[in-house]
């Protein structure tokens, strides 16, 4: 096999893998783990054997599909924990997670879904992120910034609400997400102080 042919094969394999992951993210976000590998292969325009060559199980494919988003989520929470002011760190986490979700709406559905233990890599990373978030929430409460009755499920509610944003472009989704994050932050604050909100965004079905 010539070097040129070998390089082309490697390039084709990379393209196939990227296409499989893109299709899998959309499919898992919309249909959960019930979507068959054969259907993912069909949408990605490859054979099932090609999918299994890259990802030996459906759970491995799921973990790989959301690995980058999970890493971004964990990094955002770690940055929040490192902030000198726990309340400010908590606010930064809300803002970053909701903006990231506006660009990858499938991730929040994956993050908030009930998953079988077999999705070990993703669930392990998610559980670690949630543990870090619990620590940040406790610190923000102790610092007096976060209301005492806040629970972790309130963060999940915020992500689910953010996932429902429908806009004409990614830029408009991000803008709407920033405004929603500001509203959420004000509602989570122990002593709410009205602050200017980011600009409003004209969304579908708005009453104007």
């Amino acid at each position: 096999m010539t070097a040129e042919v070998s390089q082309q094969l490697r390039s084709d394999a990379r393209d196939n893998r990227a296409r499989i992951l893109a299709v899998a993210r959309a499919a898992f976000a919309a249909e959960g783990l019930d979507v068959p590998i054969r259907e993912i292969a069909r949408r990605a325009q490859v054979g099932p054997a090609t999918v299994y060559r890259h990802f030996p199980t459906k759970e491995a494919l799921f973990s790989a599909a959301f690995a980058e988003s999970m890493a971004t989520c964990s990094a955002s929470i770690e940055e929040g924990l490192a902030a000198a002011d726990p309340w400010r760190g908590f606010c930064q986490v809300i803002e970053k997670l909701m903006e990231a979700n506006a660009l990858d709406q499938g991730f929040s559905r994956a993050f908030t879904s009930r998953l079988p233990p077999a999705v070990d890599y993703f669930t392990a990373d998610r559980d670690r992120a949630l543990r870090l978030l619990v620590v940040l929430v406790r610190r923000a409460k102790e610092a007096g910034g976060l209301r005492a009755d806040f629970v972790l499920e309130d963060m999940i509610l915020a992500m689910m609400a953010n996932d429902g944003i429908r806009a004409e472009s990614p830029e408009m989704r991000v803008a709407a997400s920033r405004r929603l994050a500001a509203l959420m932050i004000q509602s989570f604050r122990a002593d709410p102080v009205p602050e200017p909100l980011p600009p409003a965004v004209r969304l579908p079905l708005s009453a104007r």
Side-chain angles (χ1 to χ4, degrees), residues 128-157:
R128 176 179 177 275
L130 289 173
R131 287 194 297 271
L132 293 176
L133 192 54
V134 167
V135 174
L136 179 58
V137 165
R138 175 176 54 77
R139 291 180 183 177
K141 287 182 178 181
E142 291 173 350
L146 181 61
R147 56 189 301 160
D149 58 354
F150 177 91
V151 293
L152 201 57
E153 286 75 10
D154 295 326
M155 173 76 84
I156 303 302
L157 281 174

PDB file of all heavy atoms in Angstrom, residues 128-157:
ATOM      1  N   ARG A 128     -18.795  13.168  39.054  1.00  0.00           N
ATOM      2  CA  ARG A 128     -17.717  13.993  39.604  1.00  0.00           C
ATOM      3  C   ARG A 128     -18.070  15.468  39.484  1.00  0.00           C
ATOM      4  O   ARG A 128     -17.866  16.254  40.432  1.00  0.00           O
ATOM      5  CB  ARG A 128     -16.403  13.718  38.866  1.00  0.00           C
ATOM      6  CG  ARG A 128     -15.246  14.610  39.318  1.00  0.00           C
ATOM      7  CD  ARG A 128     -13.953  14.272  38.573  1.00  0.00           C
ATOM      8  NE  ARG A 128     -12.894  15.174  38.963  1.00  0.00           N
ATOM      9  CZ  ARG A 128     -12.687  16.370  38.409  1.00  0.00           C
ATOM     10  NH1 ARG A 128     -13.505  16.783  37.426  1.00  0.00           N
ATOM     11  NH2 ARG A 128     -11.700  17.153  38.807  1.00  0.00           N
ATOM     12  N   ALA A 129     -18.618  15.877  38.332  1.00  0.00           N
ATOM     13  CA  ALA A 129     -19.012  17.278  38.142  1.00  0.00           C
ATOM     14  C   ALA A 129     -20.088  17.673  39.149  1.00  0.00           C
ATOM     15  O   ALA A 129     -20.052  18.778  39.710  1.00  0.00           O
ATOM     16  CB  ALA A 129     -19.515  17.490  36.711  1.00  0.00           C
ATOM     17  N   LEU A 130     -21.031  16.775  39.399  1.00  0.00           N
ATOM     18  CA  LEU A 130     -22.099  17.079  40.354  1.00  0.00           C
ATOM     19  C   LEU A 130     -21.545  17.205  41.772  1.00  0.00           C
ATOM     20  O   LEU A 130     -21.990  18.061  42.544  1.00  0.00           O
ATOM     21  CB  LEU A 130     -23.174  16.000  40.297  1.00  0.00           C
ATOM     22  CG  LEU A 130     -24.046  15.997  39.038  1.00  0.00           C
ATOM     23  CD1 LEU A 130     -24.958  14.779  39.013  1.00  0.00           C
ATOM     24  CD2 LEU A 130     -24.870  17.285  38.953  1.00  0.00           C
ATOM     25  N   ARG A 131     -20.572  16.363  42.119  1.00  0.00           N
ATOM     26  CA  ARG A 131     -19.958  16.467  43.454  1.00  0.00           C
ATOM     27  C   ARG A 131     -19.257  17.812  43.621  1.00  0.00           C
ATOM     28  O   ARG A 131     -19.354  18.458  44.675  1.00  0.00           O
ATOM     29  CB  ARG A 131     -18.976  15.317  43.674  1.00  0.00           C
ATOM     30  CG  ARG A 131     -19.648  13.963  43.895  1.00  0.00           C
ATOM     31  CD  ARG A 131     -18.653  12.946  44.453  1.00  0.00           C
ATOM     32  NE  ARG A 131     -17.568  12.672  43.533  1.00  0.00           N
ATOM     33  CZ  ARG A 131     -17.607  11.727  42.590  1.00  0.00           C
ATOM     34  NH1 ARG A 131     -18.688  10.985  42.445  1.00  0.00           N
ATOM     35  NH2 ARG A 131     -16.568  11.523  41.804  1.00  0.00           N
ATOM     36  N   LEU A 132     -18.552  18.240  42.583  1.00  0.00           N
ATOM     37  CA  LEU A 132     -17.891  19.546  42.641  1.00  0.00           C
ATOM     38  C   LEU A 132     -18.916  20.669  42.755  1.00  0.00           C
ATOM     39  O   LEU A 132     -18.715  21.651  43.482  1.00  0.00           O
ATOM     40  CB  LEU A 132     -17.026  19.755  41.391  1.00  0.00           C
ATOM     41  CG  LEU A 132     -15.811  18.844  41.231  1.00  0.00           C
ATOM     42  CD1 LEU A 132     -15.117  19.114  39.901  1.00  0.00           C
ATOM     43  CD2 LEU A 132     -14.829  19.048  42.378  1.00  0.00           C
ATOM     44  N   LEU A 133     -20.023  20.510  42.040  1.00  0.00           N
ATOM     45  CA  LEU A 133     -21.069  21.523  42.078  1.00  0.00           C
ATOM     46  C   LEU A 133     -21.695  21.609  43.469  1.00  0.00           C
ATOM     47  O   LEU A 133     -22.017  22.697  43.942  1.00  0.00           O
ATOM     48  CB  LEU A 133     -22.133  21.202  41.030  1.00  0.00           C
ATOM     49  CG  LEU A 133     -23.159  22.288  40.715  1.00  0.00           C
ATOM     50  CD1 LEU A 133     -22.480  23.593  40.325  1.00  0.00           C
ATOM     51  CD2 LEU A 133     -24.075  21.814  39.591  1.00  0.00           C
ATOM     52  N   VAL A 134     -21.858  20.471  44.125  1.00  0.00           N
ATOM     53  CA  VAL A 134     -22.387  20.464  45.491  1.00  0.00           C
ATOM     54  C   VAL A 134     -21.473  21.259  46.425  1.00  0.00           C
ATOM     55  O   VAL A 134     -21.941  22.023  47.273  1.00  0.00           O
ATOM     56  CB  VAL A 134     -22.547  19.011  46.001  1.00  0.00           C
ATOM     57  CG1 VAL A 134     -22.792  18.983  47.510  1.00  0.00           C
ATOM     58  CG2 VAL A 134     -23.697  18.327  45.284  1.00  0.00           C
ATOM     59  N   VAL A 135     -20.173  21.078  46.254  1.00  0.00           N
ATOM     60  CA  VAL A 135     -19.212  21.829  47.072  1.00  0.00           C
ATOM     61  C   VAL A 135     -19.342  23.326  46.806  1.00  0.00           C
ATOM     62  O   VAL A 135     -19.358  24.143  47.746  1.00  0.00           O
ATOM     63  CB  VAL A 135     -17.767  21.366  46.788  1.00  0.00           C
ATOM     64  CG1 VAL A 135     -16.761  22.252  47.527  1.00  0.00           C
ATOM     65  CG2 VAL A 135     -17.584  19.904  47.194  1.00  0.00           C
ATOM     66  N   LEU A 136     -19.452  23.706  45.543  1.00  0.00           N
ATOM     67  CA  LEU A 136     -19.576  25.119  45.192  1.00  0.00           C
ATOM     68  C   LEU A 136     -20.861  25.708  45.754  1.00  0.00           C
ATOM     69  O   LEU A 136     -20.872  26.830  46.273  1.00  0.00           O
ATOM     70  CB  LEU A 136     -19.536  25.285  43.670  1.00  0.00           C
ATOM     71  CG  LEU A 136     -19.673  26.712  43.133  1.00  0.00           C
ATOM     72  CD1 LEU A 136     -18.586  27.615  43.704  1.00  0.00           C
ATOM     73  CD2 LEU A 136     -19.628  26.709  41.610  1.00  0.00           C
ATOM     74  N   VAL A 137     -21.957  24.973  45.663  1.00  0.00           N
ATOM     75  CA  VAL A 137     -23.234  25.434  46.210  1.00  0.00           C
ATOM     76  C   VAL A 137     -23.108  25.663  47.716  1.00  0.00           C
ATOM     77  O   VAL A 137     -23.573  26.689  48.240  1.00  0.00           O
ATOM     78  CB  VAL A 137     -24.350  24.411  45.892  1.00  0.00           C
ATOM     79  CG1 VAL A 137     -25.592  24.682  46.748  1.00  0.00           C
ATOM     80  CG2 VAL A 137     -24.704  24.461  44.418  1.00  0.00           C
ATOM     81  N   ARG A 138     -22.492  24.727  48.413  1.00  0.00           N
ATOM     82  CA  ARG A 138     -22.326  24.874  49.872  1.00  0.00           C
ATOM     83  C   ARG A 138     -21.511  26.117  50.204  1.00  0.00           C
ATOM     84  O   ARG A 138     -21.875  26.884  51.104  1.00  0.00           O
ATOM     85  CB  ARG A 138     -21.657  23.625  50.442  1.00  0.00           C
ATOM     86  CG  ARG A 138     -21.325  23.742  51.939  1.00  0.00           C
ATOM     87  CD  ARG A 138     -20.746  22.443  52.478  1.00  0.00           C
ATOM     88  NE  ARG A 138     -19.603  21.971  51.728  1.00  0.00           N
ATOM     89  CZ  ARG A 138     -18.372  22.479  51.842  1.00  0.00           C
ATOM     90  NH1 ARG A 138     -18.144  23.503  52.662  1.00  0.00           N
ATOM     91  NH2 ARG A 138     -17.379  21.973  51.144  1.00  0.00           N
ATOM     92  N   ARG A 139     -20.422  26.336  49.475  1.00  0.00           N
ATOM     93  CA  ARG A 139     -19.581  27.502  49.736  1.00  0.00           C
ATOM     94  C   ARG A 139     -20.333  28.802  49.455  1.00  0.00           C
ATOM     95  O   ARG A 139     -20.209  29.780  50.214  1.00  0.00           O
ATOM     96  CB  ARG A 139     -18.317  27.444  48.877  1.00  0.00           C
ATOM     97  CG  ARG A 139     -17.349  26.348  49.273  1.00  0.00           C
ATOM     98  CD  ARG A 139     -16.119  26.377  48.372  1.00  0.00           C
ATOM     99  NE  ARG A 139     -15.194  25.302  48.660  1.00  0.00           N
ATOM    100  CZ  ARG A 139     -14.077  25.075  47.971  1.00  0.00           C
ATOM    101  NH1 ARG A 139     -13.756  25.863  46.946  1.00  0.00           N
ATOM    102  NH2 ARG A 139     -13.284  24.074  48.299  1.00  0.00           N
ATOM    103  N   ALA A 140     -21.103  28.812  48.365  1.00  0.00           N
ATOM    104  CA  ALA A 140     -21.853  30.030  48.019  1.00  0.00           C
ATOM    105  C   ALA A 140     -22.917  30.336  49.071  1.00  0.00           C
ATOM    106  O   ALA A 140     -23.188  31.503  49.380  1.00  0.00           O
ATOM    107  CB  ALA A 140     -22.494  29.869  46.639  1.00  0.00           C
ATOM    108  N   LYS A 141     -23.509  29.302  49.648  1.00  0.00           N
ATOM    109  CA  LYS A 141     -24.479  29.514  50.728  1.00  0.00           C
ATOM    110  C   LYS A 141     -23.783  30.038  51.978  1.00  0.00           C
ATOM    111  O   LYS A 141     -24.259  30.981  52.637  1.00  0.00           O
ATOM    112  CB  LYS A 141     -25.211  28.204  51.046  1.00  0.00           C
ATOM    113  CG  LYS A 141     -26.218  27.779  50.011  1.00  0.00           C
ATOM    114  CD  LYS A 141     -26.934  26.499  50.447  1.00  0.00           C
ATOM    115  CE  LYS A 141     -27.986  26.065  49.440  1.00  0.00           C
ATOM    116  NZ  LYS A 141     -28.689  24.834  49.868  1.00  0.00           N
ATOM    117  N   GLU A 142     -22.668  29.420  52.323  1.00  0.00           N
ATOM    118  CA  GLU A 142     -21.932  29.835  53.521  1.00  0.00           C
ATOM    119  C   GLU A 142     -21.431  31.267  53.403  1.00  0.00           C
ATOM    120  O   GLU A 142     -21.344  31.991  54.411  1.00  0.00           O
ATOM    121  CB  GLU A 142     -20.761  28.884  53.769  1.00  0.00           C
ATOM    122  CG  GLU A 142     -21.192  27.481  54.190  1.00  0.00           C
ATOM    123  CD  GLU A 142     -20.022  26.513  54.267  1.00  0.00           C
ATOM    124  OE1 GLU A 142     -18.911  26.887  53.808  1.00  0.00           O
ATOM    125  OE2 GLU A 142     -20.207  25.387  54.773  1.00  0.00           O
ATOM    126  N   ALA A 143     -21.117  31.692  52.181  1.00  0.00           N
ATOM    127  CA  ALA A 143     -20.657  33.063  51.952  1.00  0.00           C
ATOM    128  C   ALA A 143     -21.808  34.063  51.972  1.00  0.00           C
ATOM    129  O   ALA A 143     -21.579  35.278  51.963  1.00  0.00           O
ATOM    130  CB  ALA A 143     -19.916  33.151  50.623  1.00  0.00           C
ATOM    131  N   GLY A 144     -23.040  33.565  51.990  1.00  0.00           N
ATOM    132  CA  GLY A 144     -24.199  34.453  52.077  1.00  0.00           C
ATOM    133  C   GLY A 144     -24.744  34.926  50.753  1.00  0.00           C
ATOM    134  O   GLY A 144     -25.706  35.702  50.728  1.00  0.00           O
ATOM    135  N   GLY A 145     -24.171  34.468  49.663  1.00  0.00           N
ATOM    136  CA  GLY A 145     -24.645  34.929  48.363  1.00  0.00           C
ATOM    137  C   GLY A 145     -25.824  34.137  47.830  1.00  0.00           C
ATOM    138  O   GLY A 145     -26.744  34.697  47.224  1.00  0.00           O
ATOM    139  N   LEU A 146     -25.814  32.827  48.056  1.00  0.00           N
ATOM    140  CA  LEU A 146     -26.832  31.937  47.497  1.00  0.00           C
ATOM    141  C   LEU A 146     -27.920  31.670  48.535  1.00  0.00           C
ATOM    142  O   LEU A 146     -27.616  31.401  49.702  1.00  0.00           O
ATOM    143  CB  LEU A 146     -26.180  30.617  47.073  1.00  0.00           C
ATOM    144  CG  LEU A 146     -27.072  29.554  46.447  1.00  0.00           C
ATOM    145  CD1 LEU A 146     -27.707  30.056  45.162  1.00  0.00           C
ATOM    146  CD2 LEU A 146     -26.252  28.283  46.170  1.00  0.00           C
ATOM    147  N   ARG A 147     -29.158  31.735  48.107  1.00  0.00           N
ATOM    148  CA  ARG A 147     -30.273  31.528  49.021  1.00  0.00           C
ATOM    149  C   ARG A 147     -30.185  30.142  49.664  1.00  0.00           C
ATOM    150  O   ARG A 147     -29.789  29.159  49.034  1.00  0.00           O
ATOM    151  CB  ARG A 147     -31.607  31.709  48.309  1.00  0.00           C
ATOM    152  CG  ARG A 147     -31.826  30.847  47.097  1.00  0.00           C
ATOM    153  CD  ARG A 147     -33.076  31.259  46.326  1.00  0.00           C
ATOM    154  NE  ARG A 147     -34.273  31.169  47.151  1.00  0.00           N
ATOM    155  CZ  ARG A 147     -35.413  31.809  46.888  1.00  0.00           C
ATOM    156  NH1 ARG A 147     -35.494  32.595  45.810  1.00  0.00           N
ATOM    157  NH2 ARG A 147     -36.450  31.664  47.670  1.00  0.00           N
ATOM    158  N   ALA A 148     -30.601  30.055  50.933  1.00  0.00           N
ATOM    159  CA  ALA A 148     -30.415  28.842  51.722  1.00  0.00           C
ATOM    160  C   ALA A 148     -31.252  27.674  51.226  1.00  0.00           C
ATOM    161  O   ALA A 148     -30.882  26.507  51.436  1.00  0.00           O
ATOM    162  CB  ALA A 148     -30.737  29.125  53.188  1.00  0.00           C
ATOM    163  N   ASP A 149     -32.370  27.947  50.566  1.00  0.00           N
ATOM    164  CA  ASP A 149     -33.244  26.857  50.134  1.00  0.00           C
ATOM    165  C   ASP A 149     -32.938  26.369  48.717  1.00  0.00           C
ATOM    166  O   ASP A 149     -33.678  25.557  48.161  1.00  0.00           O
ATOM    167  CB  ASP A 149     -34.713  27.259  50.242  1.00  0.00           C
ATOM    168  CG  ASP A 149     -35.052  28.509  49.422  1.00  0.00           C
ATOM    169  OD1 ASP A 149     -34.117  29.128  48.871  1.00  0.00           O
ATOM    170  OD2 ASP A 149     -36.239  28.866  49.349  1.00  0.00           O
ATOM    171  N   PHE A 150     -31.841  26.860  48.128  1.00  0.00           N
ATOM    172  CA  PHE A 150     -31.445  26.385  46.802  1.00  0.00           C
ATOM    173  C   PHE A 150     -31.038  24.919  46.896  1.00  0.00           C
ATOM    174  O   PHE A 150     -30.319  24.511  47.817  1.00  0.00           O
ATOM    175  CB  PHE A 150     -30.275  27.211  46.267  1.00  0.00           C
ATOM    176  CG  PHE A 150     -29.751  26.736  44.927  1.00  0.00           C
ATOM    177  CD1 PHE A 150     -30.262  27.249  43.751  1.00  0.00           C
ATOM    178  CD2 PHE A 150     -28.741  25.772  44.859  1.00  0.00           C
ATOM    179  CE1 PHE A 150     -29.781  26.814  42.517  1.00  0.00           C
ATOM    180  CE2 PHE A 150     -28.258  25.336  43.635  1.00  0.00           C
ATOM    181  CZ  PHE A 150     -28.787  25.863  42.462  1.00  0.00           C
ATOM    182  N   VAL A 151     -31.490  24.114  45.924  1.00  0.00           N
ATOM    183  CA  VAL A 151     -31.079  22.714  45.840  1.00  0.00           C
ATOM    184  C   VAL A 151     -30.544  22.446  44.443  1.00  0.00           C
ATOM    185  O   VAL A 151     -30.806  23.207  43.502  1.00  0.00           O
ATOM    186  CB  VAL A 151     -32.261  21.753  46.156  1.00  0.00           C
ATOM    187  CG1 VAL A 151     -32.679  21.879  47.606  1.00  0.00           C
ATOM    188  CG2 VAL A 151     -33.442  22.017  45.225  1.00  0.00           C
ATOM    189  N   LEU A 152     -29.789  21.365  44.312  1.00  0.00           N
ATOM    190  CA  LEU A 152     -29.132  21.070  43.041  1.00  0.00           C
ATOM    191  C   LEU A 152     -30.138  20.911  41.909  1.00  0.00           C
ATOM    192  O   LEU A 152     -29.852  21.235  40.752  1.00  0.00           O
ATOM    193  CB  LEU A 152     -28.287  19.802  43.185  1.00  0.00           C
ATOM    194  CG  LEU A 152     -27.167  19.604  42.166  1.00  0.00           C
ATOM    195  CD1 LEU A 152     -26.202  20.777  42.173  1.00  0.00           C
ATOM    196  CD2 LEU A 152     -26.425  18.308  42.450  1.00  0.00           C
ATOM    197  N   GLU A 153     -31.328  20.416  42.240  1.00  0.00           N
ATOM    198  CA  GLU A 153     -32.359  20.253  41.221  1.00  0.00           C
ATOM    199  C   GLU A 153     -32.752  21.591  40.591  1.00  0.00           C
ATOM    200  O   GLU A 153     -33.237  21.621  39.455  1.00  0.00           O
ATOM    201  CB  GLU A 153     -33.594  19.573  41.821  1.00  0.00           C
ATOM    202  CG  GLU A 153     -33.435  18.077  42.088  1.00  0.00           C
ATOM    203  CD  GLU A 153     -32.585  17.769  43.302  1.00  0.00           C
ATOM    204  OE1 GLU A 153     -32.270  18.710  44.068  1.00  0.00           O
ATOM    205  OE2 GLU A 153     -32.249  16.600  43.507  1.00  0.00           O
ATOM    206  N   ASP A 154     -32.551  22.698  41.321  1.00  0.00           N
ATOM    207  CA  ASP A 154     -32.842  24.015  40.741  1.00  0.00           C
ATOM    208  C   ASP A 154     -31.902  24.318  39.579  1.00  0.00           C
ATOM    209  O   ASP A 154     -32.296  24.960  38.595  1.00  0.00           O
ATOM    210  CB  ASP A 154     -32.739  25.103  41.815  1.00  0.00           C
ATOM    211  CG  ASP A 154     -33.791  24.941  42.900  1.00  0.00           C
ATOM    212  OD1 ASP A 154     -34.901  24.501  42.574  1.00  0.00           O
ATOM    213  OD2 ASP A 154     -33.501  25.250  44.067  1.00  0.00           O
ATOM    214  N   MET A 155     -30.660  23.864  39.698  1.00  0.00           N
ATOM    215  CA  MET A 155     -29.712  24.020  38.594  1.00  0.00           C
ATOM    216  C   MET A 155     -30.160  23.190  37.394  1.00  0.00           C
ATOM    217  O   MET A 155     -30.095  23.651  36.241  1.00  0.00           O
ATOM    218  CB  MET A 155     -28.316  23.571  39.048  1.00  0.00           C
ATOM    219  CG  MET A 155     -27.285  23.518  37.940  1.00  0.00           C
ATOM    220  SD  MET A 155     -26.696  25.141  37.457  1.00  0.00           S
ATOM    221  CE  MET A 155     -25.439  25.393  38.699  1.00  0.00           C
ATOM    222  N   ILE A 156     -30.645  21.976  37.653  1.00  0.00           N
ATOM    223  CA  ILE A 156     -31.122  21.128  36.576  1.00  0.00           C
ATOM    224  C   ILE A 156     -32.329  21.775  35.894  1.00  0.00           C
ATOM    225  O   ILE A 156     -32.456  21.758  34.665  1.00  0.00           O
ATOM    226  CB  ILE A 156     -31.497  19.731  37.099  1.00  0.00           C
ATOM    227  CG1 ILE A 156     -30.303  19.080  37.805  1.00  0.00           C
ATOM    228  CG2 ILE A 156     -31.987  18.853  35.963  1.00  0.00           C
ATOM    229  CD1 ILE A 156     -29.078  18.926  36.948  1.00  0.00           C
ATOM    230  N   LEU A 157     -33.223  22.370  36.695  1.00  0.00           N
ATOM    231  CA  LEU A 157     -34.379  23.070  36.126  1.00  0.00           C
ATOM    232  C   LEU A 157     -33.927  24.200  35.206  1.00  0.00           C
ATOM    233  O   LEU A 157     -34.504  24.417  34.136  1.00  0.00           O
ATOM    234  CB  LEU A 157     -35.258  23.631  37.242  1.00  0.00           C
ATOM    235  CG  LEU A 157     -36.198  22.655  37.954  1.00  0.00           C
ATOM    236  CD1 LEU A 157     -36.877  23.356  39.129  1.00  0.00           C
ATOM    237  CD2 LEU A 157     -37.244  22.118  36.988  1.00  0.00           C
TER     238      LEU A 157
END
